C-alpha cells in the first residue's frame, strides 16, 4: 500500500489530515536463535516491511486508534485514563502498553491522539509484528511529546511492554533489531552487555528469501516459556561446577567437561543448543565480515539442525521447508528464523536460482504439508523512524 493511500485513509477515518507519519520494520534473524534470553549473541536484521503509524495529536485525553489490518474493528476509542491491559482488547494492548509504560516511567503524555496503523508484515509469521507496532508507537510518542529517551532505553521499554504488560517472556532481540536496524546491515548483538556491531550484508549475486510456512503458531508462547525454564534449570546445574551467570558465558569446551553433570538428557540437549548456537553466531560475524558467505550458510544449516534435534522448536512444516531448501541448486544456507513452532524460515539463494527455488520448494511443500507456503525476498532496512513529509 502506498503512503498516499494511507494518508487518504486517515482522512476518511478521522475526518482530518494526519500530522506525522512513522515506520517501524519487522525483523529476521540470520543466526543466534533462542540465545537472547540466555545472555548470548544474536545476529538479526531489520527488514523493509513493517508497521506504519499516521498520527495527529489531540487537545483532550482521548485516544482513537484504527488499523487497516483490523478494519472490521473500526475506530477504537479510549483515553489516557484507560490504558490497563485487557484480554479482550486485542491489538490495541500493544500501543496502550507503550503509552502506559512511558507515563509510568515519568514521561509527560498529557493529551491523546488519533492514530492509524497499517502493517505489511505477513500476519502471525514470526517476523515480529508485535515488536514492530511497539517501536512504531514508541518513536511516535517520543516525537509527539518531545520525550527525552535514548534509543536503547526505548528498546528496553518496549521489551518490558512485551514481558510485563502483554505477558510474553521474550528476550531483547526483536525490539533491538527493530529499533537499531540500518539499511544494508545486520546487527550482531551481545544480549548480556548490549554491545553491538553492524556488519554489512553485501549480497551481490544472492538474496535472502523468507519462506513462510503459513502454519498457525499454536502453543508458541507456552512452548517458548517451557524452553526458557529448561534453560534456567540447565544453568542451575552447570553453576554447581562453573561460575557463570548465563549459558551464554559457557564455551563449548567448558560444556564438554560439565555436560554429564547436568544429569538429565533433555536439559543437556537444550543447553547444547544454546552453547553451540552461541559459538556459531560468533563465527558467523567473523565469516560475514570476511565475505565468506558459504561458511555463513553452513553455520545456518547447522543452526537449523541444532534447533530441530536439540532444542526441538521446528516441527514438520519448518523442517520440510528447510530440508527442501537445502536440496535446491544455488542455496547457500537455510534455517528457521524467530521463535519457531511454525512461522518463517530463511534461505540465502543465488539470485538466478530464485524462481526455480520457489517453484520447487513450494510444490513439494504443498504436497508434503498440505499448506501453501509463501516466499518473499528480504533486504536489510532502517530501524524505527519518522517518515518526513517532503520525502513521502
Ligand atoms: C522470539 C523472541 C525473541 C527470541 C526469539 C528466538 O522472536 O521474541 O526474543 O527469543 O524468539 O531466538
Amino acid at each position: 500500500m502506498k503512503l498516499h493511500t494511507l494518508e487518504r485513509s486517515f482522512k476518511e477515518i478521522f475526518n482530518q489530515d494526519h500530522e506525522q507519519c512513522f515506520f517501524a520494520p519487522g525483523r529476521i534473524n540470520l543466526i543466534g536463535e533462542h540465545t537472547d534470553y540466555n545472555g548470548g549473541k544474536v545476529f538479526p536484521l531489520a527488514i523493509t516491511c513493517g508497521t506504519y503509524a499516521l498520527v495527529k495529536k489531540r487537545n483532550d485525553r482521548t485516544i482513537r486508534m484504527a488499523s487497516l489490518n483490523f478494519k472490521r474493528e473500526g475506530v477504537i476509542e479510549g483515553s489516557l485514563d484507560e490504558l490497563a491491559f485487557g484480554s479482550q482488547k486485542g491489538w490495541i494492548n500493544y500501543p496502550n502498553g507503550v503509552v502506559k509504560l512511558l507515563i509510568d516511567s515519568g514521561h509527560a503524555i498529557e493529551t491523546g491522539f488519533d492514530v492509524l496503523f497499517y502493517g505489511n508484515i505477513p500476519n502471525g509469521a514470526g517476523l515480529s509484528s508485535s515488536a514492530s507496532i511497539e517501536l512504531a508507537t514508541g518513536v511516535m510518542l517520543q516525537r509527539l511529546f518531545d520525550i527525552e529517551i535514548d534509543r536503547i532505553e526505548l528498546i528496553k521499554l518496549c521489551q518490558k511492554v512485551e514481558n510485563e504488560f502483554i505477558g510474553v517472556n521474550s528476550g531483547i532481540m526483536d525490539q533491538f533489531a527493530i529499533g537499531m536496524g540500518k539499511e544494508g546491515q545486520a546487527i550482531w548483538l551481545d544480549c548480556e552487555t548490549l554491545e553491538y556491531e553492524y556488519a554489512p550484508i553485501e549480497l551481490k549475486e544472492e538474496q535472502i528469501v523468507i519462506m513462510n510456512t503459513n502454519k498457525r503458531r499454536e502453543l508458541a508462547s507456552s512452548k517458548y516459556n517451557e524452553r526458557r525454564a529448561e534453560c534456567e534449570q540447565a544453568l542451575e546445574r552447570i553453576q554447581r561446577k562453573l561460575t557463570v551467570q548465563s549459558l551464554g558465558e559457557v564455551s563449548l569446551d567448558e560444556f564438554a567437561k560439565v555436560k554429564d553433570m547436568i544429569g538429565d538428557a533433555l536439559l543437556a540437549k537444550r543447553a547444547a543448543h544454546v552453547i553451540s548456537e552461541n559459538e556459531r553466531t560468533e563465527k558467523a560475524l567473523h565469516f560475514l565480515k570476511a565475505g565468506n558467505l558459504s561458511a555463513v550458510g553452513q553455520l545456518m544449516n547447522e543452526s537449523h539442525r541444532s534447533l530441530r534435534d536439540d532444542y526441538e522448536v521446528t516441527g514438520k512444516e519448518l523442517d520440510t521447508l528447510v530440508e527442501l531448501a537445502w536440496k535446491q541448486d544455488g542455496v547457500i544456507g537455510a534455517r528457521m528464523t524467530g521463535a519457531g513452532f511454525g512461522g518463517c524460515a530463511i534461505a540465502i539463494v543465488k539470485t538466478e536460482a530464485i524462481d526455480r527455488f520457489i517453484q520447487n520448494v513450494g510444490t513439494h511443500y504443498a504436497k508434503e504439508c498440505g499448506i501453501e507456503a509463501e516466499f518473499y525476498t528480504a533486504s536489510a532496512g532502517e530501524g524505527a523512524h519518522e517518515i518526513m513529509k517532503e520525502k513521502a
Side-chain angles (χ1 to χ4, degrees):
M1 196 174 304
K2 293 259 163 36
L3 210 50
H4 68 257
T5 316
L6 294 180
E7 290 169 354
R8 224 176 25 236
S9 298
F10 187 97
K11 195 162 185 172
E12 276 163 25
I13 293 169
F14 294 113
N15 255 320
Q16 57 182 341
D17 285 319
H18 77 291
E19 268 171 355
Q20 281 162 290
C21 177
F22 299 86
F23 173 78
R27 68 96 189 89
I28 53 176
N29 187 18
L30 276 184
I31 194 161
E33 214 67 85
H34 288 280
T35 47
D36 62 350
Y37 53 83
N38 283 304
K41 320 290 190 294
V42 294
F43 208 176
L45 50 109
I47 53 180
T48 49
C49 55
T51 310
Y52 293 83
L54 280 72
V55 68
K56 183 169 164 53
K57 209 164 156 178
R58 300 174 59 92
N59 297 317
D60 55 13
R61 294 180 66 78
T62 301
I63 299 175
R64 295 196 294 171
M65 299 197 218
S67 165
L68 293 183
N69 300 86
F70 298 93
K71 272 192 183 154
R72 264 193 274 150
E73 294 182 23
V75 176
I76 304 166
E77 194 163 319
S79 110
L80 284 174
D81 308 302
E82 297 164 20
L83 295 168
F85 178 85
S87 53
Q88 305 303 314
K89 288 188 182 173
W91 67 271
I92 69 159
N93 280 311
Y94 294 97
N96 275 351
V98 179
V99 180
K100 177 152 193 325
L101 263 64
L102 276 169
I103 295 174
D104 289 355
S105 50
H107 298 290
I109 298 179
E110 274 149 9
T111 63
F113 45 87
D114 293 340
V115 61
L116 173 66
F117 290 103
Y118 168 68
N120 56 8
I121 306 175
N123 238 350
L127 302 175
S128 285
S129 54
S130 63
S132 177
I133 192 172
E134 287 158 11
L135 261 304
T137 309
V139 174
M140 172 185 96
L141 295 171
Q142 187 182 5
R143 292 285 154 81
L144 226 51
F145 298 99
D146 287 325
I147 293 174
E148 279 189 29
I149 183 167
D150 77 28
R151 189 47 71 100
I152 306 283
E153 286 311 310
L154 186 62
I155 286 167
K156 287 188 191 161
L157 184 131
C158 289
Q159 185 199 4
K160 201 168 163 198
V161 169
E162 194 79 44
N163 295 167
E164 292 175 14
F165 191 82
I166 306 291
V168 178
N169 214 3
S170 52
I172 199 163
M173 172 172 74
D174 302 346
Q175 286 80 6
F176 201 96
I178 288 167
M180 299 295 284
K182 259 197 192 167
E183 200 179 328
Q185 315 271 333
I187 311 168
W188 192 88
L189 169 69
D190 180 331
C191 300
E192 188 68 35
T193 61
L194 293 192
E195 279 166 43
Y196 63 96
E197 179 176 343
Y198 289 104
I201 321 204
E202 282 158 352
L203 300 181
K204 296 189 186 83
E205 293 161 9
E206 303 84 7
Q207 287 193 59
I208 300 173
V209 179
I210 300 178
M211 310 184 276
N212 186 351
T213 59
N214 271 328
K215 167 162 190 274
R216 288 175 63 92
R217 295 194 307 139
E218 281 145 9
L219 292 177
S221 67
S222 65
K223 289 277 177 204
Y224 185 92
N225 289 340
E226 187 182 291
R227 291 296 176 280
R228 279 197 77 142
E230 288 163 351
C231 288
E232 276 158 28
Q233 288 174 44
L235 175 64
E236 266 168 37
R237 295 182 188 203
I238 289 174
Q239 281 169 332
R240 292 180 197 153
K241 222 24 197 190
L242 296 177
T243 320
V244 289
Q245 301 302 317
S246 70
L247 290 180
E249 279 176 46
V250 183
S251 71
L252 269 179
D253 286 346
E254 285 168 331
F255 183 59
K257 289 182 201 135
V258 297
K259 192 174 164 201
D260 292 339
M261 283 218 13
I262 295 180
D264 180 302
L266 187 87
L267 296 183
K269 281 206 309 183
R270 304 302 190 237
H273 164 70
V274 173
I275 293 163
S276 64
E277 183 76 352
N278 220 12
E279 294 224 346
R280 282 187 288 275
T281 311
E282 306 238 4
K283 286 187 191 159
L285 174 68
H286 164 78
F287 285 131
L288 193 70
K289 288 204 306 202
N292 189 348
L293 201 59
S294 72
V296 176
Q298 290 305 316
L299 291 168
M300 289 170 68
N301 298 348
E302 280 168 35
S303 164
H304 187 85
R305 283 192 281 270
S306 174
L307 288 155
R308 180 190 65 192
D309 302 336
D310 284 345
Y311 217 61
E312 298 179 279
V313 292
T314 53
K316 181 178 178 199
E317 289 79 7
L318 279 169
D319 286 337
T320 304
L321 265 187
V322 169
E323 286 161 23
L324 283 167
W326 287 341
K327 291 186 195 145
Q328 307 305 315
D329 289 339
V331 173
I332 315 292
R335 61 181 289 277
M336 57 154 270
T337 194
F341 316 105
C344 285
I346 52 170
I348 302 182
V349 187
K350 290 264 181 221
T351 306
E352 76 216 6
I354 288 182
D355 289 346
R356 207 164 356 106
F357 171 87
I358 293 177
Q359 174 70 34
N360 288 350
V361 175
T363 311
H364 286 97
Y365 176 77
K367 252 188 228 150
E368 284 177 41
C369 296
I371 322 174
E372 298 284 336
E374 277 174 311
F375 300 85
Y376 337 91
T377 53
S379 44
E382 287 295 318
H385 61 277
E386 181 169 4
I387 300 177
M388 295 314 210
K389 277 228 164 91
E390 50 275 22
K391 282 193 195 159

